[in-house]
Amino acid sequence: MIHPGFRRALPRLPRALPALALATALLAGCATPGQAPSSPTNEAPVRVKVLAINDFHGNLLPPAGGIRIADPARPGETLQVQAGGAEYLASAVQSLRAKNPHHVFVAAGDLVGASPLLSALFHDEPTIEALGLMGLELSAVGNHEFDEGLAELQRKQNGGCHPGDGCKGPKPFEGARYRYLAASTVDERNGQTVFPAYAIKRFDGVPMAFIGLTLKGTPGLVSPSGVRGLRFEDEVQTVNRLVPELQRQGVQAIAVLIHEGGYPTGGHNECPGISGPIVDIVERLDPAVDLVISGHTHRAYVCRIAGRLVTSGDKFGTLVSEIDVELDRRSGDVRSVSAGNVIVQHDRFAKDAQQTALIAGYQQVAGPLIHRHVGRIAASFDRDETRSPGGGTAMGQLVADAMLAATAPADQGAAELALTNIGGVRTGLVLQGDGSVSYGDLFAALPFGNALVTVELSGAQLLQVLEEQWRGQPKFRPLQVSRGFAYTWDPARPVGQRVLPDSVTLNGEPLRAERRYRVAINAFLQAGGDGYATLTQGQAAVIGPRDVDALEAFVKAQPGPLQPSSLDRVRRR
């Protein structure tokens, strides 16, 4: 087993420590590599509880709206359950861990990045500390861990003050108590993985390996500066190459923590149908892999794919995947594995006192900015693109309208329309009390601090941008458009021809292929993020304000409470 004291020291190991070196350190004093565990007289299996989360994204406080699940009393309907938040998550983990002395708490990436202001203001140091207090031991590196670049991620692992902002928290930042794993992420300067590829933990003498992976498509999801000099290798090839290495060390039980996922059709503990990249990945994995813990898509599921158990725990700490594994003492392999997603309900779990104290310390510093009043809403602004046939969302359209308002003046770019990616809009605005909206609410929706950029595109290029919503994407990722811009798309038409050219209009006028248009986007899209390569061709760029500042100004300027706009800008035939 990983000794608690040694686990705390793990972050101090060399940054590019090869996986084998880490595994050897963890196995020191245990079975000789290549030998199976000696068989005791008692042949009962070792029962292990693996607890897992994914896509926490710095949600120290409960996310607005909690989690939406199937309503057991009304088939076909859903209901919202108040869930999540570090205080309740810590209690849930503690309660589940108490069921079995053989346990491990792991994660599938995106623990930080795209975080609410309480965490983001301190470069996610509060989240790193909170997860350490909960007893998290291992995590894959997600794409959002690279939002501020490799050097900053290494600082999160190893500790120390931020090089630009210094130490802003209530106490010095000591780094993560848990170990990041990155089997497929290679530093091109030295050919080494940026963090160990895997870790091995022993349960009553029987070893189990955990391989950590970042999705191969990370460069298309992160600003180029965040992944410069890094190579993201194929997930399946990486795992299958490591399996023999682990087996030579006597390890037969193998779990994969991967920041990639799928799109299920059932409830949070079901999987009647699942699509997306995780399906192909799992189907091609070496048969020796017993368990896959996934993430990235912000969905919840418990699946069997190619005979293997595959789990995902939604997002923002609203669920904990409770996975029960039986290890054979003689062979060291997995006898059985089962799982269920446990909702971190506020009426089931109490607040953890340590988490409450940690959060309070950071709130004392950040509170005035978080709670600064901005305006009011008359109804909730939803962000779920799947609830509209065309893909428009009330929150996405609000952001696009704010972008247009901020960049329409001649000195800010003279924009005629605005486009924003749905992935950059992290959450909506939930109507509460008198409808008051704070700066913290707006920052939760737009946490990246992207600058707005106005560029010039031809009508033909703009049409090509719209077609890129379906190119190279695991699913339709709709652009959110500003008022006055409209079009129709047809899912029956082939990719590359789905937008009906004659339907595209700007302020009632048909789009003209040869005309030049001024388009406001964010810096992420200008760099070709989310696969929008055509946006990199924009000319005569003018840099504007940050997206969250534009949204704040727009909300402040409204004479009364904001109403969501109708979702008819983008129509699906």
Side-chain angles (χ1 to χ4, degrees):
M1 294 182 65
I2 303 176
H3 188 278
F6 184 64
R7 185 189 311 125
R8 184 64 190 91
L10 278 174
R12 313 303 169 191
L13 293 172
R15 293 170 179 168
L17 183 69
L20 180 59
L22 175 63
T24 303
L26 297 180
L27 287 165
C30 302
T32 302
Q35 294 182 347
S38 59
S39 177
T41 55
N42 181 6
E43 294 297 336
V46 179
R47 292 179 172 84
V48 177
K49 189 170 292 293
V50 180
L51 303 177
I53 60 172
N54 55 272
D55 298 274
F56 186 66
H57 288 291
N59 277 259
L60 296 168
L61 299 177
I67 184 173
R68 188 183 296 273
I69 63 171
D71 188 341
R74 298 179 298 166
E77 300 292 326
T78 61
L79 57 83
Q80 287 188 313
V81 177
Q82 293 301 310
E87 294 161 297
Y88 299 97
L89 177 60
S91 290
V93 169
Q94 182 179 8
S95 175
L96 297 172
R97 194 161 40 204
K99 295 181 180 181
N100 189 334
H102 304 303
H103 55 253
V104 62
F105 180 24
V106 300
D110 273 12
L111 301 177
V112 298
S115 305
L117 190 56
L118 179 60
S119 185
L121 187 64
F122 304 96
H123 299 280
D124 283 311
E125 293 172 12
T127 294
I128 300 288
E129 293 178 12
L131 293 170
L133 281 176
M134 292 181 208
L136 183 68
E137 295 187 42
L138 304 167
S139 179
V141 177
N143 55 286
H144 280 289
E145 263 87 13
F146 291 104
D147 282 348
E148 296 185 70
L150 176 60
E152 171 60 10
L153 177 56
Q154 290 172 328
R155 186 187 73 86
K156 287 179 169 64
Q157 177 75 91
N158 298 322
C161 296
H162 188 272
D165 294 338
C167 291
K168 297 172 64 175
K171 64 177 183 177
F173 177 60
E174 298 180 357
R177 299 184 184 185
Y178 56 89
R179 163 55 70 186
Y180 274 118
L181 304 174
S184 58
T185 307
V186 176
D187 188 332
E188 293 183 325
R189 295 172 300 180
N190 55 28
Q192 298 290 319
T193 58
V194 297
F195 293 109
Y198 57 78
I200 298 170
K201 185 173 170 82
R202 289 182 172 271
F203 301 99
D204 204 17
V206 181
M208 183 173 180
F210 295 85
I211 302 172
L213 298 157
T214 310
L215 76 161
K216 184 179 179 181
T218 294
L221 300 170
V222 178
S223 295
S225 61
V227 293
R228 187 172 293 121
L230 301 179
R231 184 173 73 250
F232 294 83
E233 298 182 337
D234 182 82
E235 304 97 334
V236 174
Q237 293 176 11
T238 299
V239 172
N240 291 351
R241 184 176 65 247
L242 290 172
V243 166
E245 180 178 320
L246 289 166
Q247 291 176 330
R248 286 193 295 270
Q249 298 177 67
V251 180
Q252 300 298 330
I254 301 173
V256 168
L257 311 175
I258 181 170
H259 192 70
E260 182 58 285
Y263 304 96
T265 59
H268 63 282
N269 274 323
E270 301 173 339
C271 191
I274 186 169
S275 61
I278 196 64
V279 178
D280 177 65
I281 289 172
V282 173
E283 288 177 342
R284 294 188 294 121
L285 288 175
D286 189 294
V289 174
D290 303 289
L291 168 66
V292 177
I293 297 169
S294 64
H296 184 55
T297 58
H298 291 197
R299 299 297 185 90
Y301 46 82
V302 176
C303 297
R304 291 280 173 180
I305 301 175
R308 271 181 282 255
L309 187 72
V310 183
T311 69
S312 180
D314 199 66
K315 60 187 181 299
F316 304 162
T318 56
L319 294 178
V320 177
S321 297
E322 182 183 16
I323 305 164
D324 291 306
V325 181
E326 287 192 351
L327 300 177
D328 188 283
R329 291 181 183 272
R330 183 180 295 273
S331 69
D333 210 344
V334 172
R335 280 192 183 181
S336 67
V337 57
S338 59
N341 280 322
V342 178
I343 301 175
V344 183
Q345 293 180 236
H346 296 174
D347 58 1
R348 175 179 175 184
F349 299 105
K351 291 184 177 182
D352 177 82
Q354 283 186 302
Q355 297 289 330
T356 300
L358 184 148
I359 290 170
Y362 282 98
Q363 282 180 318
Q364 187 172 2
V365 180
L369 179 60
I370 293 173
H371 300 300
R372 187 174 74 203
H373 178 77
V374 174
R376 284 187 169 81
I377 55 175
S380 294
F381 283 70
D382 192 78
R383 179 246 174 251
D384 186 355
E385 71 270 27
T386 66
R387 305 182 72 186
S388 166
T393 72
M395 191 65 201
Q397 292 184 172
L398 174 63
V399 171
D401 288 346
M403 292 170 61
L404 179 59
T407 56
D411 63 340
Q412 293 295 317
E416 300 170 82
L417 70 145
L419 305 172
T420 192
N421 54 314
I422 188 62
V425 183
R426 305 305 297 182
T427 187
L429 296 174
V430 178
L431 179 65
Q432 300 182 79
D434 64 354
S436 290
V437 175
S438 69
Y439 182 77
D441 296 328
L442 301 185
F443 190 93
L446 298 175
F448 299 113
N450 273 313
L452 299 184
V453 185
T454 305
V455 297
E456 189 175 282
L457 296 168
S458 69
Q461 288 175 312
L462 190 51
L463 185 60
Q464 190 171 334
V465 168
L466 297 180
E467 292 291 354
E468 287 173 347
Q469 293 173 105
W470 295 273
R471 286 191 183 129
Q473 304 279 5
K475 68 166 189 170
F476 175 46
R477 297 286 283 168
L479 288 167
Q480 304 297 292
V481 306
S482 58
R483 64 184 64 186
F485 189 66
Y487 66 93
T488 300
W489 61 276
D490 186 349
R493 293 165 65 97
V495 172
Q497 303 174 36
R498 289 193 168 165
V499 176
L500 307 182
D502 293 342
S503 73
V504 186
T505 60
L506 178 60
N507 299 323
E509 295 292 326
L511 187 77
R512 301 207 312 267
E514 70 284 356
R515 196 199 138 180
R516 311 295 292 182
Y517 295 88
R518 298 292 293 169
V519 184
I521 54 178
N522 60 46
F524 173 72
L525 286 177
Q526 188 202 21
D530 275 356
Y532 289 99
T534 303
L535 289 175
T536 65
Q537 302 170 17
Q539 298 179 347
V542 175
I543 307 298
R546 292 193 312 159
D547 51 7
V548 68
D549 295 334
L551 182 58
E552 180 184 22
F554 187 77
V555 174
K556 278 183 175 179
Q558 304 309 306
L562 270 167
Q563 289 277 5
S565 55
S566 60
L567 303 180
D568 57 358
R569 300 176 186 179
V570 180
R571 302 171 296 273
R572 174 177 172 171
R573 174 175 281 185

